Amino acid sequence: MRKILERREYTGCIVNFKTFTNSIWDKKKRDNPLENHSVFYDTHEAIIPADIFEKV
């Protein structure tokens, strides 16, 4: 249950660019800072309301 409440995708939006690699030969994925994520809101039906997600 905790994983569901921590992921923004369950609020009805899509989040892109969460990870990156330094080059095409580098296989290690690194986390991207939150300000570099692209979020597209209301793309599908929400499982968790946005107000509950913000509280968590």
Side-chain angles (χ1 to χ4, degrees), residues 1-8 10 48 52-53 56:
M1 184 70 162
R2 180 175 169 219
K3 289 282 187 185
I4 292 175
L5 294 175
E6 291 177 347
R7 295 192 60 190
R8 183 171 292 278
Y10 290 110
I48 298 173
I52 293 175
F53 178 78
V56 174

Side-chain angles (χ1 to χ4, degrees), residues 27-40:
K27 301 297 183 196
K28 185 175 182 182
K29 289 186 178 183
R30 293 166 175 81
D31 290 332
N32 220 356
L34 289 176
E35 59 267 6
N36 292 341
H37 291 188
S38 290
V39 180
F40 301 99

Side-chain angles (χ1 to χ4, degrees), residues 3-45:
K3 289 282 187 185
I4 292 175
L5 294 175
E6 291 177 347
R7 295 192 60 190
R8 183 171 292 278
E9 290 87 350
Y10 290 110
T11 62
C13 59
I14 294 177
V15 182
N16 289 337
F17 308 114
K18 294 188 283 184
T19 61
F20 71 97
T21 58
N22 285 335
S23 68
I24 59 172
W25 297 281
D26 184 14
K27 301 297 183 196
K28 185 175 182 182
K29 289 186 178 183
R30 293 166 175 81
D31 290 332
N32 220 356
L34 289 176
E35 59 267 6
N36 292 341
H37 291 188
S38 290
V39 180
F40 301 99
Y41 297 98
D42 299 325
T43 57
H44 56 275
E45 185 178 345

